[in-house]
């Protein structure tokens, strides 16, 4: 609320508009997450398990994955794969999952600041320095998981992403 002010009058954002914005922030988060999981799973399946000329077509793989990851299954004639360029172009082969994994890492890293207390300037600075000394400074010099563990003191968890997305209740 401290940054949401009218540019001329400096009137703050009305409370009802603020609440609508908060509610809209996580609208459809579950279905959007499932969509990303479907894309990643199809990509991995096609690059690791699919056998050309085998018993399943690429469209069968897509349908099988969709049954597990979509609220509404696609039509049998769906040919989404024809436009899913990530699986063959741009160096993403079997790497689409990295989008969701990057979200997990980002949310978990930010949760370190939340754990420190976002209103505690000293704790935020200390956490920021630890982030700088590990994630930023070590970068590609060490295995990414090792760098993350040095920063967080544990392996990455999807819990902060689920919480930030509104898919997991915030702890009291």
């Amino acid at each position: 609320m401290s940054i949401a002010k009218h540019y001329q009058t400096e009137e703050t954002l009305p409370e009802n508009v603020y609440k609508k914005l908060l509610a809209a922030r996580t609208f459809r988060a579950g279905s959007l997450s499932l969509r990303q999981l479907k894309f990643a799973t199809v990509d991995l399946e096609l690059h690791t398990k699919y056998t050309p000329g085998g018993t399943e077509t690429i469209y069968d793989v897509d349908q099988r994955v969709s049954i597990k990851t979509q609220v509404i299954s696609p039509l049998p004639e769906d040919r989404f794969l024809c436009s899913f360029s990530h699986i063959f172009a741009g160096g993403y082969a079997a790497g689409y999952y990295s989008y969701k994994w990057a979200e997990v890492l980002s949310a978990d890293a930010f949760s370190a600041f939340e754990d420190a207390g976002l209103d505690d300037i000293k704790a935020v600075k200390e956490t920021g320095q630890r982030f700088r000394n590990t994630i930023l400074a070590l970068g590609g010099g060490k295995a990414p998981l090792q760098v993350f563990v040095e920063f967080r003191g544990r392996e990455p968890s999807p819990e902060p992403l689920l919480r930030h997305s509104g898919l997991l209740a915030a702890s009291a």
Side-chain angles (χ1 to χ4, degrees), residues 22-165:
L22 281 181
R25 186 178 67 83
T26 57
F27 179 70
R28 292 200 60 217
S31 58
L32 293 173
S33 187
L34 283 174
R35 179 179 183 265
Q36 294 298 105
L37 293 173
K38 179 219 171 163
F39 291 176
T41 305
V42 166
D43 182 26
L44 288 170
E45 288 272 332
L46 290 175
H47 283 91
T48 61
K49 296 180 182 175
Y50 173 70
T51 304
T55 58
E56 273 190 316
T57 69
I58 60 172
Y59 306 113
D60 294 335
V61 173
D62 184 41
Q63 289 286 329
R64 178 171 45 78
V65 170
S66 293
I67 289 169
K68 295 178 182 177
T69 58
Q70 302 298 278
V71 176
I72 300 173
S73 295
L75 297 171
E77 60 271 12
D78 179 87
R79 294 299 180 254
F80 152 76
L81 290 175
C82 293
S83 64
F84 187 35
S85 61
H86 282 78
I87 62 175
F88 301 114
Y92 282 96
Y96 193 89
Y97 72 91
S98 66
Y99 286 118
K100 189 52 78 179
W101 186 238
E103 288 182 51
V104 168
L105 295 176
S106 173
D108 200 354
F110 180 71
S111 74
F113 292 88
E114 292 175 317
D115 293 347
L118 295 175
D119 294 326
D120 184 340
I121 300 300
K122 183 177 185 254
V124 167
K125 284 183 178 181
E126 289 170 0
T127 304
Q129 190 62 49
R130 195 171 73 249
F131 181 81
R132 180 181 186 183
N133 294 341
T134 54
I135 303 295
L136 299 179
L138 300 175
K142 287 186 176 182
L145 179 60
Q146 185 181 356
V147 173
F148 189 89
V149 169
E150 283 186 36
F151 171 62
R152 273 312 257 139
R154 60 167 173 71
E155 291 193 4
S157 168
E159 185 177 318
L161 176 61
L162 294 171
R163 188 170 28 82
H164 294 163
S165 300

